[in-house]
Amino acid sequence: MHIPYLSLQKVTAQHQDEIEAAVKQVVESGWYLQGEATRHFEADYAHYIGTRYCVGCGNGLDALTLIFRAYKELGKLQDGDEVIVPANTYIASILSITENGLKPVLVEPRIDTLELDDSQLMEHLSNRTRAVLLVHLYGRCAMTHQIADFCHRHHLLLIEDNAQAHGCMFDGHRTGSLGDAAAHSFYPGKNLGALGDAGAITTDDASLAELCRALGNYGSSRKYVFPYKGRNSRMDEIQAAVLSVKLRYLDADNQRRKQIATYYAQHISNPVVTLPGAEAWLRGNVDHVFHIFPVLSAHRDELQDYLKQKGIGTVIHYPIPPHQQDCYPEWHSLSLPVTERIHREELSIPCNQTMTDEEVRYVVEAINFFLMTV
């Protein structure tokens, strides 16, 4: 049996006719940027997330970068201010902070959730702390009441990196609506993926939304008027039209991912493979959307090779943590043991709505026989 980690062809084929019709309508309209398709998606996505505003942009990194830049223009952030961020996040979270002249403060995750450890927030608070960038990594809800209280008590901005968590919930509200602003990525492999790059910002703050839109359109407040030194980061009409189609099926797709994750949590029993957060998920204490299903193993590389031999595709998210990347040499002396363990042991196994029950069972059986046959 051959089970790819993720087949974008199969994902697109689910709604191929509707997607082709939507693209055809855009092509025939002759209007390819800043048109009705984008406005329609922005309105629908804001409603879905539960915010007043949605601003489309070029990609998820731009969404984060525009948020921080806008807060600087609004006077809520300035060069050298500190932003608390999980140490095990994808590099884009960090890049958006440093690109704006801000200082990332790396905080370890919990090994049982892989999300930001809220018990460590106070020890990283300083007189320059101005924001927390909360990353819903792997499509897991990273929000806690302790994080909300911490931001409220210390008058900190709470910004969500929701690039991997479209549709995730916390206390009846979707991630992307929990803080002051949120960034979303619609990279093709995401739960809500475009046919190329696209991103969005959601917020209830009218001033922030207006400023992010201007900054992403060359800094223009109206045509040929430029009060800001902006950039070109706009969602195109074709991507917006595709996303509008796929948004209608997002909850159903996420539900299928949850079914697969539940089966994994109930049936993967190999003692050399750990499923972080499985018990909380099975108890119903959390509501994740499983963009990625990570397992941990001290035998990660051998497990990956073994699954490849069995025809099962896997991915490592991510092999090198941000503080050990060449682009941040100033952090190379940092010791972040939990983060380093995650990056050393993490392996992502297939978990998406195109999988059949037979394929899911095959993955479980293969993992449970690992080390017994190698």
Side-chain angles (χ1 to χ4, degrees), residues 342-361:
I342 292 170
H343 287 258
R344 187 172 59 249
E345 296 187 1
E346 193 278 341
L347 186 67
S348 304
I349 62 176
C351 182
N352 65 82
Q353 68 271 19
T354 69
M355 294 181 70
T356 65
D357 289 347
E358 181 184 11
E359 289 173 330
V360 175
R361 288 193 296 268

Side-chain angles (χ1 to χ4, degrees), residues 4-63:
Y5 176 72
L6 175 66
S7 169
L8 293 179
Q9 293 96 328
K10 288 183 178 179
V11 170
T12 303
Q14 289 180 296
H15 315 297
Q16 182 109 14
D17 291 344
E18 291 176 77
I19 289 171
E20 289 181 354
V23 171
K24 183 173 184 287
Q25 185 174 359
V26 171
V27 172
E28 291 178 348
S29 76
W31 196 288
Y32 309 128
L33 279 171
Q34 297 179 297
E36 285 301 316
T38 300
R39 285 190 283 273
H40 177 74
F41 173 73
E42 288 176 340
D44 284 352
Y45 195 63
H47 177 75
Y48 177 82
I49 293 295
T51 56
R52 293 174 63 195
Y53 305 103
C54 171
V55 179
C57 62
N59 54 69
L61 173 56
D62 280 0

Side-chain angles (χ1 to χ4, degrees), residues 292-360:
I292 291 167
F293 193 97
V295 302
L296 300 181
S297 177
H299 304 276
R300 191 265 308 280
D301 294 342
E302 296 93 333
L303 175 60
Q304 185 174 42
D305 289 342
Y306 162 79
L307 292 176
K308 182 178 180 180
Q309 294 171 15
K310 294 291 184 179
I312 300 170
T314 60
V315 177
I316 297 172
H317 293 100
Y318 302 94
I320 305 173
H323 72 282
Q324 294 179 342
Q325 295 286 352
D326 290 343
C327 58
Y328 291 111
E330 66 271 29
W331 291 339
H332 286 184
S333 62
L334 288 178
S335 175
L336 297 166
V338 178
T339 293
E340 289 160 17
R341 177 186 167 188
I342 292 170
H343 287 258
R344 187 172 59 249
E345 296 187 1
E346 193 278 341
L347 186 67
S348 304
I349 62 176
C351 182
N352 65 82
Q353 68 271 19
T354 69
M355 294 181 70
T356 65
D357 289 347
E358 181 184 11
E359 289 173 330
V360 175

Side-chain angles (χ1 to χ4, degrees), residues 4-286:
Y5 176 72
L6 175 66
S7 169
L8 293 179
Q9 293 96 328
K10 288 183 178 179
V11 170
T12 303
Q14 289 180 296
H15 315 297
Q16 182 109 14
D17 291 344
E18 291 176 77
I19 289 171
E20 289 181 354
V23 171
K24 183 173 184 287
Q25 185 174 359
V26 171
V27 172
E28 291 178 348
S29 76
W31 196 288
Y32 309 128
L33 279 171
Q34 297 179 297
E36 285 301 316
T38 300
R39 285 190 283 273
H40 177 74
F41 173 73
E42 288 176 340
D44 284 352
Y45 195 63
H47 177 75
Y48 177 82
I49 293 295
T51 56
R52 293 174 63 195
Y53 305 103
C54 171
V55 179
C57 62
N59 54 69
L61 173 56
D62 280 0
L64 281 171
T65 304
L66 289 168
I67 289 170
F68 285 117
R69 170 70 188 285
Y71 277 128
K72 291 184 72 176
E73 293 287 351
L74 291 169
K76 294 187 178 183
L77 294 172
Q78 59 183 355
D79 285 353
D81 282 346
E82 295 179 357
V83 179
I84 289 173
V85 62
N88 63 319
T89 187
Y90 181 58
I91 196 72
S93 308
I94 310 294
L95 291 172
S96 68
I97 298 170
T98 58
E99 184 174 333
N100 279 288
L102 305 169
K103 181 182 177 181
V105 176
L106 304 180
V107 176
E108 289 265 62
R110 287 174 47 172
I111 195 64
D112 61 333
T113 67
L114 310 183
E115 306 296 335
L116 182 70
D117 186 348
D118 55 25
S119 70
Q120 297 190 32
L121 291 174
M122 279 302 300
E123 65 187 82
H124 290 88
L125 182 70
S126 80
N127 59 6
R128 292 305 302 271
T129 308
R130 297 291 181 270
V132 172
L133 178 56
L134 185 63
V135 183
H136 302 292
L137 197 65
Y138 305 138
R140 296 171 174 226
C141 180
M143 186 63 167
T144 67
H145 294 292
Q146 290 82 357
I147 291 171
D149 182 64
F150 176 78
C151 291
H152 178 73
R153 282 189 292 115
H154 299 286
H155 308 289
L156 305 178
L157 294 168
L158 178 58
I159 300 162
E160 297 175 82
D161 182 340
N162 201 52
Q164 299 185 0
H166 317 113
C168 210
M169 301 289 290
F170 176 78
D171 272 3
H173 300 279
R174 295 196 192 277
T175 56
S177 70
L178 305 177
D180 296 284
H184 309 255
S185 167
F186 305 118
Y187 181 78
K190 299 296 173 63
N191 291 33
L192 180 60
L195 297 187
D197 266 329
I201 296 150
T202 54
T203 184
D204 285 329
D205 186 332
S207 297
L208 182 74
E210 181 180 2
L211 188 47
C212 285
R213 191 177 297 282
L215 290 169
N217 188 31
Y218 299 96
S220 174
S221 58
R222 62 183 189 275
K223 195 167 186 176
Y224 302 136
V225 177
F226 304 94
Y228 312 103
K229 296 176 182 177
R231 63 200 301 163
N232 178 13
S233 180
R234 301 175 296 196
M235 179 183 291
D236 71 65
E237 289 286 279
I238 287 178
Q239 302 308 334
V242 170
L243 289 168
S244 287
V245 171
K246 296 178 77 174
L247 179 59
R248 297 197 288 268
Y249 301 98
L250 177 58
D251 285 344
D253 290 344
N254 284 343
Q255 186 59 37
R256 175 56 179 163
R257 288 174 179 265
K258 293 176 183 180
Q259 291 172 353
I260 295 169
T262 298
Y263 190 87
Y264 284 160
Q266 291 173 333
H267 293 91
I268 293 177
S269 57
N270 192 322
V272 303
V273 177
T274 301
L275 279 59
E279 290 184 7
W281 168 249
L282 291 177
R283 288 197 304 267
N285 294 349
V286 292

